[in-house]
Amino acid sequence: MVVIILIINIVYVSFFTIRMILTMKGRRYIAAFISMIEVIIYILGLGLVLDNLNRIENLIAYAVGYGLGVIIGSKIEEKMALGYITVHVISSNPDIEFTRRLRDKGYGVTSWSAYGMDGDRLAMQILTPRKYELKLYETIKQIDPKAFIIAYEPQHIHGGFWVKQVKKGRLFKSQNDIK
């Protein structure tokens, strides 16, 4: 009974976590479908615990399953990597051909000259799908190991060259693949 309660709660909370993230990302219909499965699993698990309230190990299994479900749900979402990430980069070397090298790799880059405490800088804003986020950080660090990097998730994206390339399925493909 303890193992069943543990597994049910891990599955329930994993579904709950994924549903919440899908809802925040605007994927309402998938989230609604997942919530139907989630509520069935929840009622089964809670019913087992409530039918056996005199057994403390069932309550402990429920609590441990809940905690593990949060961790597992987060890991699943991490692998799904839904949405986009915007990365602001500031390089202390304005002469580095950062933008060209990043664009050659398929990233959407807007750059401008900036002035920092110690002089001229190259500032960039880069938009990429979250699944390419870590690869982008590696690329930036290879080009300029001392680059200053800030990242956040944009809530709304509209227009621009990069959005058109995503819709056409051309992002991160070589120019030979496009022709």
Side-chain angles (χ1 to χ4, degrees):
M1 180 68 76
V2 171
V3 174
I4 292 170
I5 291 171
L6 180 75
I7 291 170
I8 285 174
N9 226 27
I10 289 172
V11 172
Y12 155 67
V13 178
S14 295
F15 271 87
F16 173 82
T17 304
I18 293 166
R19 177 185 52 87
M20 291 300 296
I21 291 165
L22 288 169
T23 301
M24 290 187 322
K25 300 284 186 186
R27 308 236 175 132
R28 293 179 191 100
Y29 297 109
I30 298 170
F33 177 75
I34 288 175
S35 70
M36 291 185 307
I37 298 167
E38 173 193 335
V39 76
I40 292 168
I41 295 168
Y42 171 73
I43 291 169
L44 287 172
L46 189 59
L48 290 173
V49 172
L50 292 176
D51 286 344
N52 299 291
L53 274 178
N54 58 337
R55 309 230 14 196
I56 189 73
E57 61 269 16
N58 291 343
L59 291 171
I60 292 170
Y62 191 85
V64 170
Y66 201 97
L68 290 173
V70 169
I71 293 168
I72 292 168
S74 299
K75 293 287 185 184
I76 291 169
E77 189 280 332
E78 215 173 85
K79 296 289 184 202
M80 291 169 60
L82 299 171
Y84 300 92
I85 191 87
T86 298
V87 180
H88 287 283
V89 179
I90 300 173
S91 173
S92 59
N93 187 348
D95 298 327
I96 293 178
E97 292 187 24
F98 239 129
T99 55
R100 182 190 54 77
R101 290 176 68 183
L102 290 171
R103 285 183 185 128
D104 287 348
K105 291 186 178 287
Y107 295 104
V109 182
T110 299
S111 63
W112 60 93
S113 296
Y115 187 78
M117 187 169 90
D118 296 323
D120 291 335
R121 303 281 188 261
L122 173 64
M124 292 168 281
Q125 181 171 310
I126 306 160
L127 183 65
T128 187
R130 277 192 51 223
K131 63 184 173 183
Y132 299 120
E133 180 180 3
L134 296 179
K135 185 177 272 193
L136 173 60
Y137 296 151
E138 288 173 17
T139 302
I140 291 167
K141 290 174 187 174
Q142 285 173 356
I143 297 169
D144 183 2
K146 294 181 180 179
F148 178 71
I149 303 168
I150 301 173
Y152 63 91
E153 285 190 55
Q155 295 298 313
H156 178 74
I157 301 171
H158 174 77
F161 164 81
W162 193 85
V163 173
K164 291 176 190 172
Q165 295 304 310
V166 169
K167 287 182 180 178
K168 292 178 183 176
R170 294 183 177 174
L171 193 65
F172 300 104
K173 291 183 179 177
S174 71
Q175 292 300 320
N176 295 335
D177 292 343
I178 295 172
K179 294 178 182 176

